[in-house]
């Protein structure tokens, strides 16, 4: 359950880092709209120039799908096995 909570918060944290780095730290935490999918909420969290762009939202949806299906799981499988087999706390392993 802790691992799922960390994964669920990753897009929000990534968007906050982006906004802090490239937009001077203004409005770092965007509200989450539960009626939208993860790609639309992530696009909104990146800023208004991305959130209002339907093409960007669709490309983000495709990117997240491809990344989750291929690269995200395969590359980190070894790390997951190490953390899981050692019964480590997922928060401390980050």
């Amino acid at each position: 359950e802790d691992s799922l909570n960390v994964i669920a918060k990753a897009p929000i944290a990534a968007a906050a880092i982006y906004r802090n780095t490239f937009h001077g730290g203004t409005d770092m935490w965007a509200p989450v709209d539960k009626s939208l999918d993860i790609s639309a909420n992530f696009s909104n969290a990146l800023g208004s120039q991305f959130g209002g762009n339907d093409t960007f939202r669709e490309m983000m949806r495709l990117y997240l799908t491809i990344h989750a299906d291929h690269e995200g799981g395969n590359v980190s499988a070894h790390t997951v096995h190490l953390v899981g087999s050692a019964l480590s706390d997922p928060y401390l392993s980050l």
Side-chain angles (χ1 to χ4, degrees), residues 20-72:
N20 185 43
T21 303
F22 296 106
H23 295 287
T26 59
D27 298 325
M28 281 181 38
W29 304 105
V32 175
D33 184 355
K34 295 190 186 273
S35 67
L36 299 174
D37 64 354
I38 189 169
S39 60
N41 274 315
F42 184 61
S43 299
N44 289 340
L46 289 175
S48 60
Q49 70 273 28
F50 300 114
N53 187 337
D54 290 334
T55 304
F56 182 82
R57 281 185 176 184
E58 185 61 28
M59 295 306 288
M60 184 57 65
R61 182 177 295 113
L62 293 172
Y63 172 77
L64 291 174
T65 302
I66 291 169
H67 180 72
D69 183 48
H70 177 66
E71 198 66 29

Side-chain angles (χ1 to χ4, degrees), residues 1-9:
E1 184 179 340
D2 289 339
S3 298
L4 293 176
N5 289 336
V6 170
I7 292 169
K9 293 176 183 177

